[in-house]
C-alpha cells in the first residue's frame, strides 16, 4: 500500500492545501496530512484545532487521515512506514526552500522521496499568513478557505478584538 505524507503547519488549512490533498488522495492508497510544529511561527490555531479542522474538511476523502507530529519530519515518515512526502509548490520562490528541505530529508533518510505538486494557479498567491491577515482586518476570505475555516477565523479574531 502506497502511503504519502503531506506535511505542513496548516495554520489554518487553505483552499490551496485542500486542492493538493484532493489531488494526492487520487494518486495514493493513503494520504496522511501531518500537522507539524513550525518552530519559527507562533500559531493562531492550536495543534488540536488544526487537526480537527482538517479532519472536518476532508470527511469526503476516506483515504485521508490527519495527525499532528513532533520532532523531525523524516523520523515521523519512517515511523508511519511511508516513504513519500508531498509538497505543494506555489511559485518559483518556493523552490529554494523546498529544494533544501527535500535534500536535507534525503540525507536523513535516503528512502524518502519528496514529490512536488504544482499548486492550482487559482491559489498560487495563497498562504495561511495572508489569509490570517485578511481575516484579522475583517476582510472576506470566502474564496480562500473552506467555510468552516472562515467561521473559525471570524471567531478567533472577534475573540481577540473583544478581549
Ligand atoms: N497552498 C497555499 N499555501 C501553501 C501551499 C499551498 N499549496 N503550500 C504551502 N503553503 C504555505 C503555507 O500556508 C505556509 O504559509 P505560512 O508561512 O503563511 O503559514 C507556507 O506555505 C509554508 O508551508 P508549510 O508547509 O506549512 O510550512 P513549512 O514549509 O515551514 O513546513 C513543516 C512545515 C511542519 C512541514 C516543517 O516545518 C517540518 O517538517 N517541521 C518538523 C522539523 C523538520 O523535520 N524540519 C525539516 C528538517 S530537514
Amino acid at each position: 500500500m502506497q502511503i504519502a505524507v503531506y506535511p505542513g503547519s496548516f495554520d489554518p488549512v487553505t483552499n490551496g492545501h485542500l486542492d493538493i490533498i484532493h489531488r494526492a488522495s487520487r494518486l495514493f492508497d493513503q494520504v496522511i496530512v501531518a500537522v507539524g510544529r513550525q518552530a519559527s511561527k507562533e500559531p493562531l490555531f492550536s495543534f488540536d484545532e488544526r487537526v480537527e479542522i482538517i479532519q472536518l474538511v476532508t470527511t469526503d476523502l476516506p483515504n485521508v487521515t490527519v495527525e499532528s507530529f513532533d520532532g523531525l519530519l523524516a523520523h515521523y515518515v519512517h515511523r508511519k512506514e511511508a516513504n513519500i512526502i508531498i509538497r505543494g509548490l506555489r511559485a518559483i520562490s518556493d523552490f529554494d526552500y523546498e529544494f533544501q528541505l527535500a535534500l536535507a530529508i534525503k540525507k536523513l533518510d535516503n528512502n524518502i522521496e519528496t514529490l512536488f505538486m504544482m499548486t492550482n494557479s487559482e491559489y498560487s498567491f495563497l498562504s495561511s499568513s495572508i489569509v490570517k491577515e485578511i481575516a484579522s482586518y475583517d476582510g472576506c476570505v470566502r474564496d480562500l478557505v473552506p467555510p468552516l475555516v472562515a467561521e473559525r477565523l471570524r471567531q478567533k479574531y472577534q475573540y481577540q478584538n473583544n478581549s
Side-chain angles (χ1 to χ4, degrees):
M1 182 165 85
Q2 197 63 39
I3 304 170
V5 174
Y6 179 38
S9 39
F10 304 110
D11 183 42
V13 66
T14 71
N15 285 346
H17 295 123
L18 266 187
D19 176 66
I20 298 287
I21 294 170
H22 276 261
R23 288 158 55 190
S25 74
R26 293 196 288 270
L27 296 175
F28 297 97
D29 298 311
Q30 186 189 353
V31 176
I32 302 172
V33 180
V35 181
R37 189 178 304 282
Q38 231 307 338
S40 60
K41 296 174 188 170
E42 185 57 44
L44 177 67
F45 293 96
S46 70
F47 255 144
D48 290 346
E49 286 175 314
R50 282 177 275 161
V51 168
E52 182 213 10
I53 289 170
I54 302 171
Q55 284 171 334
L56 290 172
V57 298
T58 57
T59 51
D60 57 327
L61 301 172
N63 64 331
V64 172
T65 54
V66 189
E67 298 183 3
S68 61
F69 76 96
D70 260 317
L72 279 175
L73 176 58
H75 293 170
Y76 171 78
V77 171
H78 180 76
R79 286 199 303 274
K80 302 309 292 184
E81 295 179 355
N83 65 344
I84 292 173
I85 291 173
I86 301 281
R87 295 288 285 173
L89 283 182
R90 290 166 297 171
I92 299 295
S93 54
D94 281 343
F95 184 76
D96 283 352
Y97 170 70
E98 294 298 341
F99 187 63
Q100 178 192 39
L101 186 64
L103 292 183
I105 288 169
K106 198 110 182 85
K107 191 71 180 169
L108 291 168
D109 185 335
N110 194 47
N111 294 316
I112 298 176
E113 293 297 342
T114 300
L115 301 188
F116 297 110
M117 296 179 74
M118 298 303 126
T119 191
N120 182 318
S121 56
E122 187 182 348
Y123 304 124
S124 58
F125 68 94
L126 209 44
S127 72
S128 301
S129 292
I130 197 76
V131 164
K132 286 181 284 192
E133 181 161 354
I134 294 169
S136 68
Y137 288 99
D138 204 21
C140 179
V141 295
R142 188 176 51 239
D143 299 330
L144 310 180
V145 295
L148 170 73
V149 176
E151 176 53 25
R152 294 287 179 95
L153 284 165
R154 191 189 62 76
Q155 291 167 4
K156 274 280 181 196
Y157 286 117
Q158 189 176 52
Y159 173 75
Q160 281 186 354
N161 295 337
N162 294 342
S163 57

